[in-house]
Structures are given as structure tokens and as C-alpha cells.
Amino acid sequence: MTTAAPPVRTRPRRSWTPGQIVLTLLGTAVSAVFLAPLAWALFTSLKSETEAVEVPTHWLPDDWTGQAWKALFETGNITDWFVNSLVVSVCVTAIVLLVAALAGYGFARTEFRGKGVLMGVVMAGLMVSPAVLGVPLFTTVQQMGMVDTYWGMILPQCAPAAMVYILYKFFQGIPRELEEAAFIDGAGRWRVFFTIIVPLSRPSLAAVGIFTFISSWNNFLWPYMVTNNPDLMTMPNGIATVMNSYGIQWAQLMAGGLMAGLPLIVVFVFFQRQIVAGVAHTGLAGQ
Amino acid sequence: MTATSAETIVRPARARTAADSAGVRRGQGFQHGGWFVAPFLALFALFVIWPLLRGLYLSFTDANISGDSANFIGRDNYSEALKDPLMWDALGHSAYFTLLVVPCITVLALLLAMLAHHIERGKWLWRLCFFLPFLLPSTVAANLWQWLFNPGTGMVNHVFGLETPWLTDKSYAMLAVVITTLWWTVGFSFLLYLAALQGIPAHLYEAAKLDGANAWHRILHITLPMLRNITGLVIALQILASLQVFDQAVVMQDFGPGPEDSTRTFVQYTLEQGFTSYRVGYASAISIIFFVLIAAVALARMWLLRNREEGGR
């Protein structure tokens, strides 16, 4: 908090000027375009399956029905997928926060043999993702016997070089004097880290945590590779592979999709101020 | 190190000298620094470095999915890959996608961010609207647009009065993926731009206003130059992400390669070779080729950045 300039309260609230009216109308129009697909998904989920595929199509259901939502819970494994997503995302976020914060601090503020080389290797790792090396990563995980397990889904998502880099940049910006005073009072590295650095870094850690959670919750490719078991699938996978394979039931599919998106939307509504502040703080934006 | 409070109080206050703090840093840091990075490095070695090395090894073998009885076959996979028209097609599709998405997303994100930044009321609402699609899983966004683009029952043709066969004609199929991606991912770059806009000091604008600069001049001479770094970052992140496109393309085409194979991306082709044709050796070889390409793009960017900084601004 103390490191960056205090947030500039840009302007006090003003009355409606012609310019503001034009901008607001423009914003409303653009937002409508952005929200239209979601509105359509919502309306579709409230139609019956036969009405959903009627030609010509129409926005509002003639018969409002919760039947697709009901069927979703009765027939699908949707609650399993939801729990799996939650377990995987929470574990990934917790592990990433811990290891990335420690590593970012280690690289930013401590000295050890080979630091430069290791840092270079980690930065090179920014270019490696499951998309680039999916097949060798799969055979590695297979060798460890982690195919179709929670650990197989979780651990390979826990080494994001990007998050280390973001926190490394942030820790570099914290004034050294803060730590040195504590060292002289006899505090060790670990104590300094947990009692001084971590509290100072809360906005950055929040941003890293939230973005890790979003990307893990929404990750499709890696769980798709590592599990074929419908009981172990996460939301995006279950919806894309299982629900599609029965021949698409559009109303149900839309209901499932909205279910999958809902938790993150709730998180964002509550934390959006912190997210934007976090993006600014982490130096993601300032680079 | 674990000083009790009594000791802390008794200890005489020491004067802080440069040598003192340097000693603190070096002496303690040497042992502890390694432990700080060790947990991450362990995961990193296991799930990034090792697969990379393993992929490199496998790429010189004829390994299948079960992993046993792999024979060393030298450069055969690589020479086959370079002559493989399907690989080049897939690479072309990924590149085409990247060329369309990156400029569009950058411009769109900037415009949306400026809009959201300058409207004074309900800032959180605009933020939410533009960021919302990014909160959906890619597969959900893809399914949603797959249906919006559906020729008979879809809303896109209905609203615009078109009869375009978006998903079944090879000249539109990738375009449909691009439009889906723009809608789905622009929110992330939008957020980066928004944060950067909030970081531009207000006094710059006030000074310009006093000098008689109009809104257009202020955008041209203050906003855009101040956003140069973030634009570089947005473009770099988008290029790397777009080259790796997979989810949307594959879901919108029901896990197939699209009309006349027109949406088969590089990642998809790799996975097909590995998991459908069971040719792990060959899949590893094309993964390595892909890795080298991505690395080349990233290194080119670093090199350009360095040159620009050295060239003086």
C-alpha cells in the first residue's frame, strides 16, 4: 500500500455534461452488445428444449420453464463437476500463492549461488505451457501414475513462471530499509517475509490469487488431457465433453454454462476494486 | 536469530552502516535464499523442465502412448514433420488466427478502457460488463457462440438478417472462432489498459488543458505515449496466447478439425498425433518445433525492446 502513490481521486462527481451523456449512451450501447450473448444464454436456459431449437428463433421464451435447470441437477454429474472444480482451483490457488510468493521474494531479495542462471531458466519457462508441450507433459504425469487423479490435475498447474515474475517485480519495489531495520532488530529472513513483506503485498497477492483462481477454474486443456473419467472432470470439461456427447440439449447446455460461470462472476462483483488495484500494484500494467 | 523479547530490549542499539546491512544480506541470504525458491523450483523442474527434456528425447524415438519399446530413430520425426503438409496447415491456421486477433483485441481493449475510464458514473458497472465474458470458461463461451452462429436457430444471422454458414464453410469457420475469442478475452487486456490509464498523473492533463490542448490532442500527446509500455505488454501476451489457441476452435467444431480442416490449430494437431494416432515420438517432435517458434517470438520481442531502450527515447 505504502509503496505506490495514493490512489488519485480523479474528479469529484460532476453533473451531466453533454460529453458525459454521449459517453454514457455509447457505453450503454457497447455493454448491451457485450451482454446480449449472455442474456440469450439465460433466456434459452428458460425455454423448453423444443422451443430452444425453433426456427425462426426468438429472444424471450413463450413458455418460461425451469425444466432445463431441473434436468441439469437430476440427470447430470453437474454437482460432482462443481465440487471437482472447486477442489482443483482452491488447491492450485493456495499452492501457487505460497510457492510463487516465496520464489518471487527469494529472487528479488536474497542472494544464493546460481541465482542469475535459475532466474533465466524460470523466465524461459514463461514460454512453456501445457499447450506447447502437452504430450510430453502427459507422458511425464503418466509415468508418475497421476493420470485420472486430483494430483495429476492440480500439480502441473502449480508452476506458473508468470506469477513468480509478477511478484518478483513487486517485491523489488519494496524499499529495502523496511527489511533492514527488522534485520538489525534480530529478525530472520523468514520472519521478515511473513511479518513485513506478506502484509505489505496483500493487493498484489490478491491479484495473483484471483487470476490464478480464474485461470484454473476455467482451464480446459490440461484436465481434458489428464482425465477421461466423468466423475473426476471439472466444470468446463464436463460441459464440453460429456454434455456434448449426448447430442446437444441446448437449454440444458446453456444452464450448465451459466452455472460454470457464476462463481467467478460473484467473486469479481465483490472483488473488482481489488482486482483493478492489484493489476496496477503488481506492475503488470506499468511493466 | 530467534531473539527473545528480553534480548532484544537488552541489546544496545547499533549504528546502521552500509557494511552492516550488506553483511546481513549476504550472510543470511546465502543459505535462506535457496530455500525460498526451492518449492517452486521443485514443481518447475518436475512439470516444466523435465517434460521439455523428455519431449526432446522422445522426439528422436518412435515412442507410442504406452511409453514402452521406444526405438531411437534419429532425426526421422523432424524430417517427416518438415514435409508434413498437415503440420504446415495447422501452423498456418494458428498464425492466421493470431494475425486477426492481436490487432483487433489491442485496439478494442484500448477503446473500451478509455470509454470506461472517462464515464464518470457507474464505473464498476462498465468494468463488470466488459470483463464479464472473460469470467466464463472457454468451453462455455465456445458453446454459446457455436449456437449463436448456428445458421438456422442462431441469433447472429437472425439479428443481422444474414444467411451465412458460419460454422460449416471454410471461409467463415475461423472467423467465427476469432469473433468468439474477441468477445471472450478482450476483458483481460481491457483491465490492463484501465489500470494503466488510472496510473497516468492527472496533472499532465491539467497542464495540457491550460496550454489549450483539446481532447483529441490530449489523447494523442499524453494518453497514447503514456500507454506505450502497456501496449507492448498487451501485444506480447496476446501473441503468445493466440499462437496457442485450442479450446474455442475445437469446441465450436464438436472436437473435429472444422470444414475442410480449416480450424485445426497447431495445438490440436499435436494432440491428435499424440492421443489419437498414438504417435508420441512424432507429437513430441512437432511440440519441440512449436516451442522453438514460440521462443523465437518471445526472444525477438526482448531483442526489440532492448534495442529500443538503447536507441534512446
Side-chain angles (χ1 to χ4, degrees):
Chain A
M1 261 324 157
T2 49
T3 53
V8 187
R9 186 101 193 101
T10 40
R11 269 148 291 183
R13 196 163 266 194
R14 273 194 233 149
S15 57
W16 293 98
T17 62
Q20 278 297 311
I21 293 174
V22 171
L23 283 177
T24 308
L25 288 176
L26 196 60
T28 313
V30 177
S31 301
V33 173
F34 263 79
L35 296 183
L38 287 171
W40 202 50
L42 182 64
F43 291 142
T44 301
S45 76
L46 295 169
K47 291 175 181 172
S48 67
E49 290 296 348
T50 42
E51 201 192 332
V53 291
E54 253 170 40
V55 184
T57 188
H58 48 276
W59 283 92
L60 294 177
D62 292 332
D63 286 316
W64 297 76
T65 165
Q67 156 244 309
W69 288 88
K70 226 174 99 194
L72 191 67
F73 287 101
E74 278 168 4
T75 57
N77 322 37
I78 199 106
T79 39
D80 288 344
W81 299 338
F82 198 91
V83 171
N84 292 339
S85 275
L86 209 60
V87 170
V88 170
S89 309
V90 168
C91 289
V92 168
T93 308
I95 297 174
V96 165
L97 272 179
L98 183 69
V99 300
L102 287 173
Y105 182 75
F107 282 128
R109 280 304 166 76
T110 66
E111 298 297 332
F112 53 93
R113 200 174 300 144
K115 188 174 98 164
V117 177
L118 284 175
M119 188 75 201
V121 171
V122 172
M123 288 306 100
L126 283 172
M127 293 171 283
V128 191
S129 69
V132 180
L133 285 176
V135 175
L137 180 60
F138 175 81
T139 62
T140 305
V141 169
Q142 190 185 34
Q143 250 187 349
M144 297 175 184
M146 294 200 298
V147 171
D148 274 330
T149 66
Y150 273 139
W151 289 120
M153 279 193 278
I154 293 168
L155 289 178
Q157 296 187 53
C158 291
M163 297 303 169
V164 173
Y165 181 70
I166 287 171
L167 291 173
Y168 162 78
K169 287 299 249 190
F170 177 78
F171 291 141
Q172 272 190 329
I174 296 179
R176 279 182 188 277
E177 288 74 26
L178 282 173
E179 293 168 272
E180 279 166 7
F183 287 140
I184 286 160
D185 289 341
R189 273 275 172 210
W190 294 91
R191 217 164 121 194
V192 167
F193 177 76
F194 284 108
T195 58
I196 297 179
I197 302 294
V198 168
L200 269 181
S201 323
R202 232 178 273 150
S204 303
L205 292 173
V208 165
I210 289 166
F211 276 112
T212 306
F213 190 84
I214 292 178
S215 67
S216 174
W217 182 274
N218 289 344
N219 193 345
F220 167 68
L221 180 58
W222 179 246
Y224 171 67
M225 276 192 257
V226 85
T227 177
N228 281 318
N229 180 353
D231 294 335
L232 271 177
M233 283 181 184
T234 55
M235 282 296 257
N237 291 276
I239 287 169
T241 56
V242 177
M243 285 179 78
N244 276 1
S245 66
Y246 296 143
I248 299 183
Q249 306 251 340
W250 285 110
Q252 237 187 82
L253 189 64
M254 290 301 125
L258 291 172
M259 272 277 294
L262 202 59
L264 294 187
I265 294 171
V266 171
V267 167
F268 186 76
V269 168
F270 282 106
F271 291 104
Q272 58 165 323
R273 192 184 287 266
Q274 288 85 331
I275 293 173
V276 178
V279 171
H281 268 283
T282 46
L284 240 183
Q287 215 198 3
Chain B
M1 211 158 304
T2 49
T4 63
S5 52
E7 276 173 333
T8 323
I9 294 164
V10 172
R11 180 185 309 164
R14 281 194 288 165
R16 280 172 55 198
T17 65
D20 217 17
S21 46
V24 165
R25 226 176 290 150
R26 200 168 304 127
Q28 294 187 322
F30 192 78
Q31 300 144 356
H32 289 293
W35 290 113
F36 275 100
V37 296
F40 175 79
L41 285 180
L43 287 166
F44 190 75
L46 223 48
F47 297 109
V48 179
I49 303 295
W50 177 246
L52 186 59
L53 296 175
R54 191 177 160 76
L56 195 61
Y57 162 74
L58 288 173
S59 72
F60 294 106
T61 70
D62 60 358
N64 59 23
I65 196 78
S66 66
D68 42 49
S69 75
N71 301 308
F72 192 79
I73 54 169
R75 290 177 320 202
D76 288 8
N77 285 328
Y78 287 95
S79 34
E80 184 186 340
L82 294 179
K83 280 182 290 196
D84 180 354
L86 284 179
M87 187 201 82
W88 289 108
D89 279 352
L91 187 60
H93 299 149
S94 292
Y96 174 62
F97 174 86
T98 305
L99 280 177
L100 286 179
V101 163
V102 174
C104 292
I105 257 192
T106 311
V107 172
L108 199 60
L110 177 62
L111 291 177
L112 290 178
M114 285 172 61
L115 189 63
H117 184 63
H118 283 111
I119 302 180
E120 280 160 12
R121 279 167 192 260
K123 281 187 188 296
W124 68 272
L125 190 65
W126 313 116
R127 240 188 264 166
L128 180 65
C129 288
F130 301 151
F131 194 70
L132 204 55
F134 185 69
L135 294 169
L136 295 177
S138 55
T139 55
V140 171
N143 271 324
L144 175 51
W145 281 86
Q146 182 189 14
W147 196 29
L148 283 162
F149 279 126
N150 204 313
T153 55
M155 200 40 97
V156 172
N157 282 353
H158 183 73
V159 167
F160 295 101
L162 302 169
E163 280 178 28
T164 312
W166 289 99
L167 300 170
T168 48
D169 187 310
K170 78 167 195 176
S171 34
Y172 298 108
M174 191 53 103
L175 208 56
V177 180
V178 168
I179 293 170
T180 304
T181 307
L182 289 179
W183 177 79
W184 174 53
T185 58
V186 74
F188 183 71
S189 304
F190 157 78
L191 216 57
L192 291 184
Y193 268 126
L194 196 64
L197 281 172
Q198 291 175 354
I200 301 178
H203 67 81
L204 287 181
Y205 290 104
E206 278 149 25
K209 238 184 222 170
L210 289 179
D211 291 341
N214 62 27
W216 175 242
H217 283 139
R218 292 199 295 269
I219 291 175
L220 207 61
H221 297 295
I222 300 176
T223 310
L224 293 183
M226 292 293 281
L227 292 178
R228 221 170 69 177
N229 280 347
I230 186 72
T231 301
L233 182 70
V234 166
I235 291 175
L237 290 176
Q238 284 301 337
I239 290 177
L240 291 181
S242 302
L243 284 173
Q244 299 177 26
V245 58
F246 169 75
D247 306 11
Q248 308 93 292
V250 92
V251 172
M252 288 179 79
Q253 293 295 341
D254 293 330
F255 292 84
E260 296 175 53
D261 296 355
S262 57
T263 64
R264 180 192 273 127
T265 63
F266 203 93
V267 174
Q268 189 177 357
Y269 187 59
T270 316
L271 299 188
E272 279 175 15
Q273 289 301 314
F275 296 122
T276 315
S277 309
Y278 304 122
R279 298 187 63 200
V280 166
Y282 187 64
S284 299
I286 53 180
S287 297
I288 295 289
I289 294 175
F290 193 40
F291 172 75
V292 170
L293 280 172
I294 297 256
V297 171
L299 289 176
R301 170 179 177 261
M302 271 168 56
W303 184 75
L304 283 173
L305 270 183
R306 185 173 305 166
N307 271 11
R308 202 174 70 186
E309 269 159 23
E310 279 171 4
R313 278 189 270 182

